[in-house]
Amino acid sequence: MYQPPVIDDSDSDSEPPASITGFNDTEPFLESNWKYDLDPWLQLIYFYYQQQGLTPLLLEQSLNLLSILVVVFLTLFTSSCIDYAQIHTHKRLGDILVDNCLQEMGLLSFLFLLVCGCYWTVQLYTFIVSIPKYYQMQQFYEQVLKIKDSDLEHMEWSKVVDAIVHSRQQQGLFPLDAIQIANRIHRRDNYWIAMVSKDLLQLEIPFMGKVLSTLVEWSIEYCVFSLLFDARGLKKRVLDPRYKQKLTEQLEQRFKALGIASLVLMPFTLVFMIANSLFQFIHEYQKSPANAIGFRNYSTFALWLFREYNEYPHFLRQRLNKSHPHANQYLGQFPSRVLTLVAKTVGFISGSITGFLVVITLFEEELQQGFEITPGRSAFFYIGLFGTISALSSNFVPLETVVFEPVTIMTRVVEQTHYLPLEWKDKFHTNQVRDQFSALFPQRLVLMIQEWISCLYLPYLLYYRWPEQAGSVLEFLAQHTVNDPVNGPIVDYGLFDLEKIQEVKMTMSMAHFRNAHPNWQPQSVLGSQFLQRIRRVEESKESIRDEKGEFMHLLDAITEMNQRRV
């Protein structure tokens, strides 16, 4: 999840920025943010665009704080304030409440409250101190970019980029184009994409494969990026061989220190994660019992794996949302005959029982007034139980009209995910591809379990596995960092320099970046020639109308270009 950047004026190689006192005069503002703190300010511009204005931004963060309070309160209330032994002998909630439960809570409950209280206080403080920046950003959009909050909801990001470029030209500041803006906003994200694509991080968890949960992602962000990066990108000493040994030791120590801290905080973190997941599950279950468990979504690892260099999160979200129907349809192409027969029978039996109980409760008043079918269990309990079983069983029964065409359907998925490993070629119909794709597109319940298991396994990763990778991480950062004269230190893949790097993912990223920013033109001759080749392919595709999609045509064009260069 994208977080609002912190504008930090420390450790700067330029003169200190002027103070910001308001927007009556925009010159101090432009001097401090438009010149000296360009990276974090561009990131804040994009974050504000994502939130679609000041009011939704403040409302969302306020409601997030309220949600944390609700989760903590309900967790403590259900664990410390209810005498569950009295439930069967009393009919009112007030009769089973424990007197003075919060004052007499146990040590673990108190520590849980203390840890969550500290976390919530930090989040509240961060939100409060960010409000002035959010207000300044609103004024910036209106006064400098000439864009109102009401226009953001339906405005394309490319229009905001054009407004940024135009405003800098008017102010006489050094010019930026779309690729330079994207490199500054995604300076860290491009390194993330490269490290995941190159399989640099050891993310394997036994019996679960590669898991990049929210907690694991935050741990890497804290250990690696907060140590080796500042507000303006990769720190200079990371590229200096004289500091490699020292930085390696610091990174190892940070991994181990966080590993010890995560082990100590594990009980409280795990309880909060389970409680939060269960509350969300109950909310989804009330809307749709079948989707509460059967709904699938891409894992965090898949999001980083599918994301292209310099791709904005909202573009990634749009194309993956388009792939959801086809992804579900593809996994439905491999039904198990045995499982289908069992699910049909279970669904029929549970549905029949549910229907019978519903009918008799409509005509028998006693069943509506607490009549127990089994000790302590009324008809409404069994209606909910068998109704849930019936709904879940339907997820395992394919429609009778389903046509087996996994190749065609998976081709549509690839069109949106832009992910096609070599081992998948000509194997879309196999269980091997089905299993690998299912791991990237798991069910909601599997994602919940992965979050919980990663919390238990994280201390081991931090203390034993990742310190061994510290040297490799530093070596990777040094090898794939270029000191661009305009953007400073950035990952080499983000420049889209086809003269120096021949890689399918980077070339694909450049082609799709051009589609998202029509006014951008590559600086290199080879890049311009490639885009011209893509245009000819698209024109021929429109005339041929074959079954190949845009991604497959791009892949053919890249393969042909690389063969010519060889």
Side-chain angles (χ1 to χ4, degrees), residues 33-56:
N33 294 286
W34 232 196
K35 184 175 181 180
Y36 299 107
D37 289 315
L38 187 55
D39 273 27
W41 196 254
L42 286 172
Q43 293 164 9
L44 191 57
I45 290 174
Y46 177 64
F47 176 74
Y48 191 88
Y49 168 81
Q50 281 188 303
Q51 301 300 311
Q52 299 181 353
L54 182 63
T55 300

Side-chain angles (χ1 to χ4, degrees), residues 9 15-21 26-33 35-37:
D9 300 333
E15 62 180 275
S19 60
I20 303 175
T21 58
T26 60
E27 287 304 317
F29 165 74
L30 290 173
E31 285 295 318
S32 60
N33 294 286
K35 184 175 181 180
Y36 299 107
D37 289 315

Side-chain angles (χ1 to χ4, degrees), residues 58-126:
L58 297 178
L59 180 62
E60 180 180 0
Q61 298 202 5
S62 300
L63 294 178
N64 286 339
L65 290 171
L66 178 61
S67 299
I68 295 175
L69 281 180
V70 171
V71 171
V72 173
F73 170 76
L74 290 177
T75 303
L76 290 175
F77 181 78
T78 55
S79 62
S80 303
C81 297
I82 297 179
D83 186 357
Y84 291 95
Q86 304 296 325
I87 289 181
H88 296 293
T89 58
H90 296 81
K91 300 299 183 182
R92 297 186 307 170
L93 177 62
D95 296 334
I96 62 174
L97 293 180
V98 178
D99 296 333
N100 301 321
C101 59
L102 295 181
Q103 288 82 0
E104 299 178 2
M105 68 175 63
L107 177 60
L108 290 179
S109 297
F110 173 77
L111 292 176
F112 174 78
L113 178 61
L114 180 63
V115 172
C116 293
C118 293
Y119 172 77
W120 188 85
T121 302
V122 172
Q123 295 298 313
L124 177 63
Y125 172 79
T126 303

Side-chain angles (χ1 to χ4, degrees), residues 205 208 211-216 269-285 288-300 438-439 441-457:
I205 293 181
M208 305 200 76
V211 176
L212 185 58
S213 65
T214 303
L215 200 57
V216 172
T269 306
L270 185 60
V271 169
F272 179 83
M273 292 174 61
I274 293 176
N276 186 52
S277 300
L278 290 179
F279 293 146
Q280 291 181 354
F281 173 79
I282 293 172
H283 174 68
E284 295 295 334
Y285 177 83
S288 174
N291 287 337
I293 295 179
F295 180 78
R296 290 178 177 269
N297 205 354
Y298 291 106
S299 65
T300 306
S438 179
F441 190 63
Q443 293 180 327
R444 187 195 306 272
L445 181 61
V446 175
L447 288 173
M448 289 171 51
I449 295 175
Q450 286 180 351
E451 292 283 344
W452 302 345
I453 298 299
S454 67
C455 180
L456 299 174
Y457 200 70

Side-chain angles (χ1 to χ4, degrees), residues 116-289:
C116 293
C118 293
Y119 172 77
W120 188 85
T121 302
V122 172
Q123 295 298 313
L124 177 63
Y125 172 79
T126 303
F127 171 61
I128 292 175
V129 299
S130 299
I131 291 177
K133 292 201 298 286
Y134 298 153
Y135 174 75
Q136 291 169 359
M137 182 53 62
Q138 182 189 48
Q139 300 300 307
F140 172 79
Y141 263 87
E142 292 181 354
Q143 297 184 18
V144 179
L145 300 184
K146 310 301 181 183
I147 299 174
K148 296 181 179 180
D149 280 1
S150 58
D151 298 329
L152 285 177
E153 184 176 358
H154 304 290
M155 178 174 286
E156 295 181 356
W157 170 248
S158 61
K159 301 298 183 183
V160 179
V161 171
D162 292 341
I164 293 173
V165 173
H166 179 68
S167 66
R168 291 187 64 83
Q169 292 174 348
Q170 284 189 328
Q171 295 294 333
L173 301 173
F174 70 90
L176 292 175
D177 62 7
I179 192 65
Q180 293 165 349
I181 293 173
N183 267 301
R184 287 178 175 272
I185 292 177
H186 305 312
R187 195 184 294 271
R188 291 191 182 191
D189 288 2
N190 282 337
Y191 281 102
W192 260 107
I193 296 168
M195 289 192 294
V196 172
S197 299
K198 301 302 180 182
D199 200 17
L200 181 66
L201 305 172
Q202 295 186 6
L203 303 173
E204 291 81 5
I205 293 181
F207 308 109
M208 305 200 76
K210 295 179 181 179
V211 176
L212 185 58
S213 65
T214 303
L215 200 57
V216 172
E217 185 182 27
W218 179 88
S219 300
I220 297 174
E221 183 72 28
Y222 171 77
C223 291
V224 177
F225 289 92
S226 66
L227 174 66
L228 305 178
F229 289 74
D230 57 22
R232 295 165 182 82
L234 192 68
K235 295 179 180 178
K236 294 181 179 180
R237 62 176 179 267
V238 179
L239 304 177
D240 193 336
R242 295 174 299 176
Y243 291 95
K244 181 178 180 180
Q245 182 62 32
K246 181 180 179 180
L247 288 173
T248 301
E249 294 174 356
Q250 290 180 353
L251 186 55
E252 292 175 353
Q253 293 171 0
R254 180 166 285 213
F255 278 136
K256 292 185 177 181
L258 186 59
I260 295 173
S262 64
L263 181 63
V264 174
L265 297 175
M266 180 196 299
F268 315 110
T269 306
L270 185 60
V271 169
F272 179 83
M273 292 174 61
I274 293 176
N276 186 52
S277 300
L278 290 179
F279 293 146
Q280 291 181 354
F281 173 79
I282 293 172
H283 174 68
E284 295 295 334
Y285 177 83
Q286 291 174 336
K287 295 190 298 183
S288 174

